[in-house]
């Protein structure tokens, strides 16, 4: 790619226009090079920031010698395109439509606006824009950065700008993926009674899922909501063969009062009698609302605090010892939906609140 | 392919050796060109036969002016390779192992031996070796031949050399394939209660299949045995998305006292409430043991007459107005199994019985 092919991001534009610019650079997971190039180029033009690039993850830091440091982070990737590009602004409703408007280029735009304009923050700032959040954690840019350059993530507090309706969402649920496997014995389907049908055997696996009742524990005053779902099923050898294997891929979203091990124990007991293999696992994060940094942030931005249902990299910050919350524009219910959109007013409110916190809190 | 690359089949060899030669030419459905070339070359070397090639189907006919004509037919293709090539002869047990030994290159070898050696049959003979029997009927070489060259299939009786333990199997069951579809609504799996899981909805489809009780009607003294089975299942969008569709591919094997329409009505009622779409359908064939041609053949070869469970092209001959039976070496239970094999003695018995019928019946 030639340098001239890098789209230019105009950081003097308002955050809504900047969201549109980011949305119109398609960046489905594993295809973030162009957007990362654009972000890196824009940030390197700002003299008050030190920029580091690792893969398609870009880090920009102030070095002002402030007593505390805050990370503000967002992922650059989206789920697959679903006939929802380019961005479309509906002036009548104040909604910006399109893939990533909600999850989470509105938040990314706020990050870039703050990076460009808050040159004298009360805390030192570390802006992180990273890749591969929407796919298996082995690819996650924030995870890779925490391993390659852990010093870049040292901080006293972190704000992850995942969609949360411009309100603070604390903690997050963990996620575990397993394959539940049934086995049978192949035979010609014309003499099916000579074989054992592994797909028929999966009826019981699905019946158990239908009987599942979600646990909703209250932690630090916040009600979480677990979920256990088949996200894929596959089986079959040929149109005239009784299948000898069926695999149900199950995703367990668990409240942060369970560890990964406890979540796996629950799933293994739930599917007792079946072969269960783990394909992906990430811990939840307790809300941590008792920590001073979290309290100070919540006082500054105000509003209600809600629980976070979806897994976010808040859990990763928690594991790194950095207290963290979710706070960003966009309704999380719209994430990964074809009709994804964001209220323009939420983008503006997030930028305003964060700016006030970073400029005035200790002024 | 150059002419020299066509494997040479030695029709002066015995039928067991010829079976091995045919097995060692891999010919999974849609990959029959090499074996068809070898068969065509071998048959064209026989001056008493008129040979026609259509696609990968080869027809060889005597033109002796006999009052009656008999078709002897077999398919050249096999199901996919499953670590069961090349052929392996176990002299101690008298078993020839390998893909296609049973279904149905033993029968093909008998056909080629008869074609080479029975030069003065009591009936005119039409030998048909065809492709794509093991896959959807749209590709079936015998079907295509019946449309392109119906005159080549005119006959008074047909013997299809599908595996039947060297005993006459009469009639055959029909086969119907449908997709049974459940629908739901996508949502992020972190907030699964906002969506409707189409895979969970398939639990009821599979539960109905588990409750199915097979009908076993007796027709012309033969007991058939129906079967209703899922042969494939698929569903899933992504590891973090509640799936909005699940498709169960179901195969119904029905006794020949039901028409294709009646079979479909049964399946639609069985899956009432679900979206059912037909993907493949082929009629069964009634045993027809009351027809003179069938009676004469059965008297000549002797032994017990059994019902045919699997669908075979006997049904196609029946539709064309040609009375037909299955008669060939190999245990049909072994068809499509990894450990497929054939008793050498059955190959020899089939060749011997057919030769006696064709040479002496009216002598």
């Amino acid at each position: 790619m030639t340098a001239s092919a890098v789209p230019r991001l105009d950081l003097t534009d308002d955050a809504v226009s900047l969201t549109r610019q980011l949305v119109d650079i398609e960046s489905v997971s594993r295809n973030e090079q162009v957007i990362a190039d654009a972000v890196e180029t824009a940030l390197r033009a700002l003299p008050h920031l030190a920029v580091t690039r690792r893969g398609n993850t870009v880090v920009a830091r102030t070095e002002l010698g402030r007593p505390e440091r805050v990370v503000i982070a967002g992922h650059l990737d989206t789920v697959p395109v679903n006939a929802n590009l380019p961005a479309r602004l509906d002036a009548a409703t104040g909604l910006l439509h399109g893939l990533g408007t909600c999850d989470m280029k509105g938040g990314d735009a706020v990050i870039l606006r703050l990076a460009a304009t808050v040159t004298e923050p009360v805390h030192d700032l570390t802006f992180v824009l990273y890749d591969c959040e929407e796919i298996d954690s082995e690819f996650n840019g924030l995870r890779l950065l925490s391993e390659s350059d852990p010093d870049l993530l040292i901080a006293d507090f972190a704000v992850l700008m995942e969609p949360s309706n411009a309100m603070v969402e604390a903690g997050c649920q963990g996620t575990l993926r397993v394959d539940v496997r049934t086995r049978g014995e192949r035979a010609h389907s014309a003499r099916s009674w000579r074989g054992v049908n592994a797909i028929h055997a999966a009826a019981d696996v699905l019946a158990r899922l239908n009987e599942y009742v979600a646990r909703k524990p209250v932690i630090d005053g916040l009600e979480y909501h677990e979920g256990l779902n088949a996200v894929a099923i596959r089986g079959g050898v040929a149109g005239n063969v009784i299948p000898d294997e069926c695999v149900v891929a199950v995703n367990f979203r668990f409240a942060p009062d369970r560890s990964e091990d406890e979540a796996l124990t629950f799933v293994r007991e739930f599917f007792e009698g079946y072969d269960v293999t783990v394909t992906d696992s990430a811990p939840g994060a307790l809300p941590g609302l008792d920590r001073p940094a979290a309290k100070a942030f919540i006082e500054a931005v105000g509003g209600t605090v809600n629980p976070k249902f979806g897994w976010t990299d808040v859990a990763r910050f928690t594991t790194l010892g950095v207290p963290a919350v979710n706070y960003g524009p966009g309704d999380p219910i719209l994430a990964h939906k074809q009709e994804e959109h964001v209220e323009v007013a939420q983008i503006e409110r997030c930028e305003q609140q964060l700016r006030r916190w970073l400029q005035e809190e200790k002024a």
Side-chain angles (χ1 to χ4, degrees), chain A residues 111-186:
Chain A
I111 291 173
L112 291 173
R113 282 291 294 160
L114 295 173
T117 58
V118 181
T119 54
E120 289 291 336
V122 294
H123 307 300
D124 263 312
L125 299 178
T126 302
F127 300 104
V128 181
L129 291 145
Y130 61 101
D131 65 339
C132 291
E133 192 272 347
E134 296 290 5
I135 55 176
D136 272 7
S137 60
E138 67 172 302
F139 302 105
N140 184 295
L142 189 65
R143 187 183 73 76
L144 295 173
L145 187 70
S146 73
E147 290 173 3
S148 67
D149 300 80
D151 290 355
L152 286 181
L153 291 175
I154 292 173
D156 301 283
F157 186 58
V159 177
L160 193 61
M161 296 203 67
E162 289 278 355
S164 58
N165 274 317
M167 289 188 284
V168 179
E169 288 189 344
C172 79
Q173 299 202 132
T175 177
L176 169 68
R177 288 192 186 83
V178 299
D179 281 347
V180 182
R181 204 172 302 263
T182 61
R183 297 192 193 279
E185 192 188 335
R186 289 192 198 185

Side-chain angles (χ1 to χ4, degrees), chain A residues 60-72 118-127 151-159 291-298 300 321-323 357-363:
Chain A
R61 296 159 55 96
T62 62
E63 302 284 1
L64 298 168
R66 299 287 192 256
E68 293 195 313
R69 175 173 288 279
V70 167
V71 171
I72 305 182
V118 181
T119 54
E120 289 291 336
V122 294
H123 307 300
D124 263 312
L125 299 178
T126 302
F127 300 104
D151 290 355
L152 286 181
L153 291 175
I154 292 173
D156 301 283
F157 186 58
V159 177
R291 298 181 195 186
K295 280 187 178 165
F297 174 76
I298 289 162
V322 182
W357 173 50
L358 295 173
Q359 290 185 332
E360 300 176 356
E361 186 186 33
K362 296 189 178 175

Side-chain angles (χ1 to χ4, degrees), chain A residues 50-127:
Chain A
V51 175
T52 306
R53 167 90 176 247
R54 293 286 181 270
N56 289 324
T57 293
V58 182
V59 183
R61 296 159 55 96
T62 62
E63 302 284 1
L64 298 168
R66 299 287 192 256
E68 293 195 313
R69 175 173 288 279
V70 167
V71 171
I72 305 182
H75 63 81
L76 294 169
D77 62 320
T78 69
V79 294
V81 182
N82 189 6
N84 49 8
L85 282 181
R88 181 174 56 80
L89 180 65
D90 184 335
T93 58
L95 299 180
L96 180 64
H97 296 265
L99 177 65
T101 48
C102 170
D103 186 13
M104 58 171 282
K105 291 180 175 178
D108 294 336
V110 171
I111 291 173
L112 291 173
R113 282 291 294 160
L114 295 173
T117 58
V118 181
T119 54
E120 289 291 336
V122 294
H123 307 300
D124 263 312
L125 299 178
T126 302
F127 300 104

